[in-house]
């Protein structure tokens, strides 16, 4: 039988777990709505312009069709990092258009989405049962527990690297969209090296700003798993 202190701790853990589940549910809903919005809201001209700019950014031939892994990269870039003719991202436009339909907590969560970016992580442990992945970020070696959307975890093994968009929630973080597994750990080293070299010419450059500008190009250079 638990004493009063143990019951209090149990109640707190239970409460935080419930808040985590609700946050994950809201995150999934917002991401789904935003993805649908980007498809419906953008016209043909905007999509053609976006594809052209994306191909330029990753140095991919304009006339060749994008392989599946680059198409997935494009969809992430188009939703979060592409700037429309009006100078806004599709996700920020989604939040403006849905401001009267989303609750205040959902709008706050939506604002958190805007801060996310695709970054490299080393896999420490994968749990099929809980659909989570314990990872270490490539730059500062900080550890994060990431909840994954897919019911079947096939993203990689211990010691391998993945690129993903991490959304901080309550007790665990959430992987926004696809997780990109890379066939070689050399890519993560190349990303860090490129960041350090760029920082020599721009001391105020942040890891986030660098990855939002160069991350897709570097990730597009190798066929993903």
């Amino acid at each position: 039988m638990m004493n009063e202190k143990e019951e209090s701790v149990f109640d707190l853990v239970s409460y935080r777990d419930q808040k985590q589940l609700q946050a994950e549910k809201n995150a999934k809903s917002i991401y789904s709505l935003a993805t649908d919005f980007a498809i419906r809201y953008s016209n043909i001209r905007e999509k053609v312009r976006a594809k052209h700019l994306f191909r330029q950014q990753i140095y991919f031939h304009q006339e060749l069709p994008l392989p599946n892994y680059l198409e997935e990269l494009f969809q992430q870039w188009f939703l979060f990092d592409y700037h429309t003719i009006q100078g806004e991202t599709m996700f920020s436009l989604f939040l403006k258009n849905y401001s009267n339909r989303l609750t205040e907590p959902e709008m706050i969560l939506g604002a958190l989405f805007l801060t996310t970016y695709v970054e490299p992580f080393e896999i420490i442990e994968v749990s099929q049962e809980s659909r989570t992945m314990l990872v270490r970020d490539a730059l500062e070696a900080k550890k994060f527990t990431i909840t994954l959307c897919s019911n079947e975890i096939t993203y990689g093994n211990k010691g391998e690297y993945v690129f993903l968009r991490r959304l901080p929630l309550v007790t665990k973080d959430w992987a926004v969209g696809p997780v990109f597994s890379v066939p070689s750990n050399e890519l993560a080293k190349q990303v860090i090296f490129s960041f350090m070299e760029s920082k020599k010419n721009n001391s105020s450059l942040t890891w986030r700003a660098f990855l939002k500008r160069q991350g897709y190009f570097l990730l597009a250079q190798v066929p993903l798993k």
Side-chain angles (χ1 to χ4, degrees):
M1 186 174 180
M2 291 187 295
N3 59 37
E4 186 175 335
K5 182 177 180 181
E6 288 172 332
E7 286 181 353
S8 177
V9 171
F10 177 80
D11 289 343
L12 177 60
V13 171
S14 178
Y15 172 77
R16 287 172 62 82
D17 287 344
Q18 290 176 12
K19 296 291 286 184
Q20 172 69 24
L21 289 174
Q22 185 60 51
E24 288 179 18
K25 181 180 178 181
N26 290 344
K28 290 177 184 178
S29 175
I30 290 171
Y31 181 65
S32 178
L33 288 171
T35 301
D36 290 342
F37 172 84
I39 294 171
R40 290 184 291 102
Y41 180 87
S42 55
N43 55 38
I44 295 297
R45 180 187 176 195
E46 195 79 71
K47 290 175 182 175
V48 170
R49 176 178 182 268
K51 270 284 174 69
H52 178 77
L53 292 176
F54 180 74
R55 288 168 181 270
Q56 278 188 333
Q57 183 171 331
I58 64 172
Y59 295 96
F60 194 85
H61 198 286
Q62 292 290 340
E63 304 303 323
L64 296 177
L66 292 176
N68 289 339
Y69 77 95
L70 288 184
E71 186 64 42
E72 284 191 321
L73 278 178
F74 168 75
Q75 295 300 333
Q76 281 276 295
W77 177 81
F78 182 62
L79 181 58
F80 292 105
D81 298 304
Y82 166 70
H83 284 79
T84 66
I85 297 171
Q86 292 77 26
E88 299 190 74
T89 65
M90 297 303 298
F91 197 90
S92 62
L93 285 172
F94 156 74
L95 290 179
K96 285 185 178 180
N97 280 267
Y98 275 71
S99 60
N100 293 328
R101 307 185 214 180
L102 299 176
T103 64
E104 183 177 350
E106 287 173 333
M107 286 297 293
I108 293 173
L109 186 57
L112 273 179
F113 269 89
L114 293 174
T115 68
T116 63
Y117 55 99
V118 176
E119 53 185 318
F121 294 93
E122 180 187 359
I123 299 173
I124 300 174
E125 185 179 32
V126 175
S127 171
Q128 295 277 356
E129 183 178 353
S130 62
R131 295 187 300 107
T132 59
M133 181 184 291
L134 179 63
V135 298
R136 180 187 293 113
D137 87 82
L139 184 66
E140 298 180 338
K142 292 180 180 178
K143 294 180 181 180
F144 302 94
T145 300
I146 310 287
T147 299
L148 303 159
C149 298
S150 174
N151 289 325
E152 186 166 349
I153 311 301
T154 57
Y155 300 122
N157 302 308
K158 180 179 179 180
E160 296 180 346
Y161 278 81
V162 292
F163 282 68
L164 59 86
R165 187 180 295 271
R166 180 180 64 86
L167 178 70
L169 293 180
V170 182
T171 60
K172 297 185 287 286
D173 298 339
W174 190 68
V176 180
V179 174
F180 302 102
S181 298
V182 295
S184 170
N185 296 348
E186 290 302 314
L187 178 60
K189 297 177 183 178
Q190 181 187 351
V191 171
I192 294 173
F193 176 79
S194 297
F195 171 63
M196 294 303 183
E197 289 297 301
S198 299
K199 201 168 176 64
K200 290 179 182 178
N201 299 320
N202 180 7
S203 59
S204 63
L205 181 66
T206 64
W207 181 234
R208 176 179 182 272
F210 170 78
L211 286 173
K212 286 183 77 69
R213 188 183 311 156
Q214 297 291 332
Y216 288 99
F217 164 72
L218 293 166
L219 190 51
Q221 301 314 299
V222 294
L224 305 182
K225 288 185 179 180

